[in-house]
Structure formats: structure tokens, C-alpha cells
Amino acid sequence: MNPKDDPMHFTARTIPEFLDHWSDTRNFLLGPELISFDLDLPPTEEIVDILRKDTDSRIQFLGVEDEAEKEGLVQKFKTRPLEAVIDQPFSLANFHLQNFYGAGAFLQGFQRHVMVPWRTFLSSTGLTWQRCYPIIFISGKGCSSTYHVDVSHVVAWQVHGQKVFNGFKDPSGYGPIQHVVDNRQEYLVPSPPEVDPDDVLTYRMEPGDILWNQLLTPHWVTAGNEIAVSVNISHGGISHQGEFCPNEQVLRKRWDKHPKEAWTFDQRY
């Protein structure tokens, strides 16, 4: 089945539709009628070249178990000519984009053209939040993410290339929320478990697409035959009329018992 023919494949195009779905468990797209970002980022190779040299970037080569081998691959990726490493099966993430907001930096207009419009949109819907910060994720050609859950509502904006975002039509069948909250590390594995393809909710992300990934729902992401770049905005404490989504209510009950685990505020923005 073409993913776009799946009746569970949903795009919110009005604020009422968005409000009906933000606190559900099913991932969905945000149509351009709701929000789009007017910012042209540099070409893929230029972004990779900038971020591979940054000390805050996390570079990984999935499937490599030996720590010395991992470190060797990372150092070569950082220091060798870009054309010698760009086709390697790497993943790169940077969680400190505020370091690139200054004059002349490649994200100089990011706050004005992405974060301010996004926060304004959220406010216009009546949502409030406690943390909201961006991350860049880059997947090398044909690379996949781990299978995992996030302690965040994540809004993924596809910038370059394609990514296939895989979740579940009913995430509770593969990760009951109480079990996820109490055993989150069990859901961090290199690849997804054996699943029924009919249970998977797949979105093929093209440049400009924006997807809402539900908090604490299992998912994994694959790239196509070109390097794929996305900006993901991580949120915590989102509520509407003072009410958290059902998944976060379960999470916060755990935080009441384990306050050192609580993640509410974040200085990155």
C-alpha cells in the first residue's frame, strides 16, 4: 500500500483538526495551511561540513560495536576531506543550535523564521509548554535511526532529502504507555522488532513536510539514497486548557515518585 493511501495517514489542515490530534497517540502531518517555515538552509554538504567539526555534534556509525573502531571512524569523519567521508553510513545530531545563531552563522535567521513562527502558532491554538528547543538530525545515505521513544512531542521539519518516518497506528500494541514510562531503555534498540506491516503508520517526508510525533510512542526513521537533513523541535509540558496529554499524565505520575527524572525546563531554544 502506498503510505499516502493509508486511511490512518492524516494531515491536520485546520486548528480544530490539530487540537483534535495533538494529544492522541497517532503521528500526523501539519499541512502548509497551518504552518510552514520560510528559511532556506545551506546545501546538505555544507551543513554536514559545519556540524562535523563542532564539538557538540554527536556522530555515530550504527552497527559498529567496538569503541576504538567507533572513535577512529568519528575522528576520520571530522578531519578527512569532506568528499572522502560524505558517502559513509553515518548519522549526525546537534542539540545546541543556539551556537549557530550569530551574525554570519548558518542559522542566523533561524529564531526569526522558524522558532518564533512556531511558538506563535502554538500559542494561537491555545497550547502552552514548558520547554521547546530545536535539534538537527542528519542521516547518511540509506541509514536508519535506532528504534526508540522520545520523552517529547517532536515536530520534524524535513529540510533536505527524504526520510521515512515509521510509527504505529496503535502504539500501545507495541509499547503500552505504563511499560514505556517505567522501562524506556528497553525501547532503545538498533532496529525495530518484528512487526506486522499492517500495524505500521508510515510517512514519507519530503522537503518542507512537517510531522508531529507523539510523546513516548515507539518509532524509527530511515533515509533514502541521498543524505537527509531534518530539524526536529522537542517539546515538554505541552498542555491545553491546563491539561496534559494522556501519555504525559502517566509520565508525570512517575516523576512525582522519581523527581530526579523530571525534565521540565531547558535552556536551549
Side-chain angles (χ1 to χ4, degrees):
M1 176 187 291
N2 186 316
K4 293 189 177 180
D5 294 332
D6 190 330
M8 296 290 283
H9 194 279
F10 179 72
T11 301
R13 301 189 184 278
T14 66
I15 287 179
E17 288 180 341
F18 173 75
L19 290 176
D20 280 345
H21 287 80
W22 79 269
S23 61
D24 199 354
T25 59
R26 177 175 51 146
N27 297 334
F28 62 97
L29 296 174
L30 305 182
E33 305 92 333
L34 279 181
I35 183 72
S36 60
F37 299 126
D38 185 20
L39 179 66
D40 292 326
L41 295 185
T44 299
E45 290 78 6
E46 184 176 340
I47 296 175
V48 172
D49 199 28
I50 293 169
L51 293 182
R52 71 180 178 138
K53 301 171 184 175
D54 186 74
T55 56
D56 286 323
S57 289
R58 186 189 70 192
I59 300 168
Q60 294 180 308
F61 293 86
L62 295 179
V64 179
E65 301 296 335
D66 183 78
E67 291 299 325
E69 183 180 359
K70 284 182 184 179
E71 182 59 27
L73 288 171
V74 169
Q75 289 306 313
K76 288 179 181 179
F77 189 82
K78 289 180 176 181
T79 58
R80 295 186 67 189
L82 183 64
E83 61 271 18
V85 297
I86 195 68
D87 290 330
Q88 291 184 340
F90 71 94
S91 66
L92 186 156
N94 193 293
F95 295 75
H96 295 273
L97 303 191
Q98 72 274 12
N99 296 336
F100 304 97
Y101 293 163
F106 85 103
L107 294 178
Q108 178 178 346
F110 188 81
Q111 279 287 320
R112 177 180 178 183
H113 294 288
V114 178
M115 295 307 294
V116 170
W118 175 246
R119 291 191 293 259
T120 300
F121 166 74
L122 286 181
S123 295
S124 74
T125 69
L127 293 181
T128 60
W129 61 93
Q130 293 177 332
R131 56 179 173 82
C132 175
Y133 78 97
I135 309 158
I136 282 183
F137 286 108
I138 304 176
S139 297
K141 297 176 181 179
C143 289
S144 300
S145 76
T146 58
Y147 177 82
H148 64 285
V149 300
D150 294 315
V151 188
S152 307
H153 292 282
V154 176
V155 168
W157 170 39
Q158 191 63 25
V159 176
H160 295 311
Q162 296 179 337
K163 287 186 179 180
V164 178
F165 205 106
N166 301 285
F168 294 107
K169 298 170 184 177
D170 178 13
S172 66
Y174 290 89
I177 185 59
Q178 189 65 60
H179 190 268
V180 171
V181 165
D182 291 335
N183 305 277
R184 187 160 60 93
Q185 287 305 308
E186 292 184 12
Y187 294 85
L188 178 58
V189 293
S191 57
E194 185 174 342
V195 301
D196 184 337
D198 289 339
D199 293 340
V200 179
L201 181 60
T202 295
Y203 290 91
R204 187 173 300 279
M205 304 282 292
E206 303 285 349
D209 286 347
I210 301 174
L211 178 140
W212 182 280
N213 177 56
Q214 303 286 3
L215 178 144
L216 290 171
T217 56
H219 61 279
W220 69 103
V221 184
T222 60
N225 57 6
E226 58 183 320
I227 299 169
V229 180
S230 63
V231 173
N232 288 15
I233 305 176
S234 172
H235 307 76
I238 292 183
S239 65
H240 186 253
Q241 298 180 347
E243 185 171 349
F244 299 117
C245 74
N247 278 4
E248 184 146 353
Q249 291 177 31
V250 176
L251 175 65
R252 286 177 175 258
K253 286 181 180 178
R254 178 176 174 86
W255 285 353
D256 289 340
K257 298 178 181 178
H258 305 275
K260 291 184 179 179
E261 296 178 7
W263 179 22
T264 53
F265 298 98
D266 200 299
Q267 294 183 340
R268 295 168 289 186
Y269 63 91

